[in-house]
Amino acid sequence: MFKLAMRIFPGLNWLRGYNAKLFADDALASIITSILLIPQSLAYALLAGLPPQAGLYASTTPLIAYALFGSSRVLAVGPVAVVSLMTAAAIGELGLNDPAQQMAAAGALALLSGGFLLVFGLLNLGSIANFLSRPVISAFITASTLLIIASQLRHILGIEASGATLPELVLSMAQSIGQLNLLALAFGAGSLAFLIFMRGGLQPLLTGLGVPDGTASTITRASPALLVVITTLIAAGMSLADRNGLSIVGELPTGLPPLQPPLVPLEIWRELLGPAALISLIGFVESVSVGQSLAARRRESVNPNRELFGLGAANAAAAFTGGYPVTGGFARSVVNEQAGAQTPLAGVFTALIIAIVAVFLTPLFYHLPKAALAATILVAIWKLADFHSLRDAWRYSHSDGAAAFLTLFGVLFLGVEIGLTLGVTVSIGSILLRTMKPHWAQVGQVPGTHHFRNPNRHDVILSPHVFAIRVDSALYFANAHFLEDLLAQTMAEHEGITDVVLMCPAVNFIDASALASLRTINQRLSDSGVTLHLSEVKGPVNDHLMAAGFADELSGEIFLSQYAAMRTLDPQTTLRAEGVD
């Protein structure tokens, strides 16, 4: 029975050898993580443009689903800043004003995102994260951070503002600045100061007073929850929402939503397909990065394909329980791991704690100022902006730097989805451009060795009638004609050539178009009295050429090494390179 459960729910492998000590560690970690997660969940729901309770709902069943299917022992799944921003952008495009409709659309977005992840998992596409280069990811996160900061300033200032791009947000706030609420500003600025002190100054102070490091660290991490308690008590005790118009969370429904799929019109499903694909990709990249970083510390491993199933199941669970798209968050996962979590059961305990809060304690959040939640977001994400990596990318590679800066510009000025799509398109386009005209070099023998190198970089000996060329790329449809033109031009410029050797140590793949080009090259060279040979062909590539019958059509031979080719085709030059007269 246990083995059957393992096959159905591979995430349950952590149950092997589970004992009372692990249970105690997981239970304690869940309490500490919940203290951080509850205020963050409320804040990120507001960032997503949804009622605060959506954040609580998104922090319950997804954790349980991930525990059943995921591969990381300590990854904490739930709402995160970047995915919340992308959710806000996607829902904002639908023109919905009813909060119930917005939550249903967010659930549909989560279900579509989960569907994409599950399909990718079935196809074993864990490598799909490679479509996003590091410079593009860094630029996207930096731009998203700036957008999040701009969007949350309206809560700090107590004004109404809207917009999906930085200019729209700035213009909207500028037009509403006359409505500045000094009380909201006081709460926001005070909350920022409190959280900054708690993060940077409290732990050294407590340590200096003799408090153990672990206890001091736990108190510091509890600062967002402590802020929620303090600001709520102040706002409630002084009736500030009624007297001074302070924006507060307001009434939240008690209990958990019914288990049901999101009910939205068909046209909304269609409009959410594109955003859901991008959210699934970004969420997967972020989650795998966090999971692998934490696993490396613990000498464990994270399986990307299993992560696709784990995150897909988590998003599907969120969709059926009133949540919105989720992924593995860095801050909460680090807190979970450092708090002593040993297995995904810590996440299950965290989900149960948050469910209890949603069922019994939501009235306590009624007077919570939105300015305090905005401060929680700002302090949590401001360090994510990384302009140094953009500069370094440009210095190292102008194409990578261009992709990064276009992503940054696109997200800030055109919108989250357009900016990310632009960055991915430019990244893939630059790869195609590089491989359409791959690096190539004529090669000659380095004296005294069996090595063959580029004469522009090394002193080599070239054969007078054997032209040896190395192509440093897979051969496929985009560069197949390039190779034809290159060899045609070479033959026109070099008289007396009797043999051409195509050196293939870097050729990992030859597609049907490239095979057709090789056949054309072989025929053209043969017609002009020149024999074509291949050398150092990789095993799988050679297998495909043999299966296609190209080895039989080839006018020359396929040599195991370039040295063997030259020793056979021009032994005198080879002996001269070896110093033999």
Side-chain angles (χ1 to χ4, degrees):
M1 189 68 178
F2 184 76
K3 291 182 179 179
L4 177 62
M6 294 296 104
R7 285 198 296 268
I8 299 175
F9 305 113
L12 293 179
N13 281 316
W14 49 267
L15 282 175
R16 299 179 188 274
Y18 200 77
N19 54 43
K21 183 182 181 305
L22 294 178
F23 178 87
D25 290 341
D26 286 340
L28 178 60
S30 69
I31 295 171
I32 295 172
T33 305
S34 299
I35 292 173
L36 169 72
L37 197 56
I38 291 169
Q40 268 197 358
S41 299
L42 296 170
Y44 287 151
L46 290 177
L47 173 60
L50 301 171
Q53 66 267 21
L56 295 177
Y57 302 156
S59 301
T60 52
T61 53
L63 288 163
I64 299 172
Y66 182 83
L68 295 174
F69 294 97
S71 64
S72 172
R73 284 177 168 256
V74 296
L75 188 71
V77 172
V80 299
V82 173
V83 172
S84 296
L85 177 67
M86 297 180 73
T87 299
I91 303 302
E93 292 291 325
L94 301 177
L96 302 175
N97 297 317
D98 181 9
Q101 292 179 341
Q102 292 172 341
M103 288 188 65
L109 189 63
L111 189 57
L112 288 171
S113 178
F116 278 115
L117 290 165
L118 291 172
V119 169
F120 295 154
L122 288 172
L123 298 175
N124 290 324
L125 295 179
S127 59
I128 193 172
N130 297 332
F131 280 105
L132 291 176
S133 68
R134 288 186 181 271
V136 167
I137 294 172
S138 179
F140 176 75
I141 291 176
T142 297
S144 297
T145 300
L146 296 178
L147 279 181
I148 291 169
I149 291 173
S151 69
Q152 295 308 295
L153 284 178
R154 62 193 176 101
H155 295 303
I156 300 290
L157 300 175
I159 60 177
E160 293 294 329
S162 61
T165 65
L166 187 61
E168 291 173 352
L169 285 167
V170 171
L171 180 61
S172 181
M173 284 190 288
Q175 293 172 342
S176 303
I177 197 65
Q179 304 168 7
L180 174 68
N181 188 308
L182 294 178
L183 189 58
L185 179 60
F187 265 95
S191 298
L192 285 172
F194 174 81
L195 291 172
I196 291 171
F197 168 73
M198 294 289 282
R199 284 196 166 204
L202 180 63
Q203 186 165 351
L205 178 62
L206 292 175
T207 304
L209 294 174
V211 178
D213 289 341
T215 304
S217 178
T218 300
I219 295 173
T220 301
R221 293 194 186 101
S223 57
L226 185 57
L227 174 68
V228 167
V229 173
I230 294 173
T231 54
T232 301
L233 289 175
I234 293 174
M238 302 179 67
S239 301
L240 297 178
D242 298 328
R243 296 179 183 176
N244 302 89
L246 178 68
S247 181
I248 59 175
V249 167
E251 184 175 357
L252 299 180
T254 58
L256 296 173
L259 183 66
Q260 64 180 27
L263 304 175
V264 295
L266 181 60
E267 58 268 19
I268 288 183
W269 290 100
R270 285 198 296 262
E271 291 186 40
L272 292 177
L273 277 173
L278 292 177
I279 286 174
S280 64
L281 182 59
I282 287 292
F284 176 62
V285 170
E286 181 175 355
S287 185
V288 168
S289 299
V290 174
Q292 289 177 338
S293 297
L294 295 177
R297 296 185 194 177
R298 301 162 60 91
R299 298 190 177 184
E300 298 171 353
S301 63
V302 168
N303 185 326
N305 288 319
R306 276 266 304 281
E307 286 301 287
L308 287 169
F309 281 107
L311 292 175
N315 277 279
F320 278 83
T321 54
Y324 68 98
V326 297
T327 191
F330 179 75
R332 72 190 61 189
S333 297
V334 170
V335 169
N336 191 45
E337 191 257 349
Q338 292 182 353
Q342 300 296 323
T343 73
L345 190 59
V348 176
F349 289 153
T350 299
L352 294 176
I353 292 172
I354 295 175
I356 291 171
V357 170
V359 172
F360 299 106
L361 302 180
T362 51
L364 298 179
F365 297 111
Y366 182 89
H367 291 280
L368 174 59
K370 290 184 178 180
L373 290 178
T376 301
I377 293 177
L378 295 182
V379 172
I381 60 97
W382 71 271
K383 286 186 178 180
L384 295 178
D386 184 8
F387 293 98
H388 294 294
S389 64
L390 303 182
R391 180 196 61 195
D392 293 342
W394 176 259
R395 287 178 175 176
Y396 182 77
S397 168
H398 283 357
S399 61
D400 284 338
F405 281 105
L406 282 172
T407 302
L408 183 74
F409 173 84
V411 172
L412 290 178
F413 293 93
L414 301 176
V416 174
E417 296 165 17
I418 295 176
L420 181 59
T421 303
L422 185 63
V424 173
T425 302
V426 172
S427 293
I428 296 175
S430 66
I431 293 173
L432 289 174
L433 286 175
R434 282 196 294 268
T435 57
M436 284 176 67
K437 293 185 177 180
H439 177 265
W440 66 274
Q442 181 185 9
V443 295
Q445 188 171 356
V446 179
T449 73
H450 291 179
H451 299 296
F452 290 79
R453 295 291 186 269
N454 186 342
N456 295 327
R457 296 178 179 272
H458 303 272
D459 292 327
V460 300
I461 295 178
L462 299 172
S463 170
H465 62 82
V466 178
F467 187 86
I469 180 174
R470 188 191 72 229
V471 178
D472 299 327
S473 171
L475 300 178
Y476 70 117
F477 64 91
N479 59 26
H481 288 291
F482 168 80
L483 185 60
E484 291 183 35
D485 297 340
L486 173 63
L487 287 175
Q489 182 180 352
T490 298
M491 292 301 98
E493 295 175 352
H494 294 76
E495 297 182 0
I497 296 297
T498 60
D499 296 89
V500 170
V501 182
L502 182 59
M503 190 177 175
C504 305
V507 178
N508 298 312
F509 174 70
I510 296 178
D511 75 353
S513 297
L515 176 60
S517 289
L518 287 177
R519 284 175 166 143
T520 300
I521 292 169
N522 182 56
Q523 186 62 51
R524 288 176 180 174
L525 291 176
S526 186
D527 291 343
S528 61
V530 178
T531 305
L532 175 66
H533 310 270
L534 305 181
S535 73
E536 302 190 14
V537 181
K538 293 183 181 294
V541 176
N542 189 60
D543 291 343
H544 280 85
L545 294 178
M546 297 288 287
F550 181 71
D552 297 329
E553 303 170 23
L554 187 64
S555 59
E557 301 179 47
I558 299 178
F559 293 97
L560 185 64
S561 69
Q562 184 63 23
Y563 177 75
M566 295 306 298
R567 188 68 185 265
T568 301
L569 301 175
D570 191 356
Q572 291 183 348
T573 299
T574 303
L575 291 173
R576 183 159 55 91
E578 294 174 346
V580 180
D581 294 330

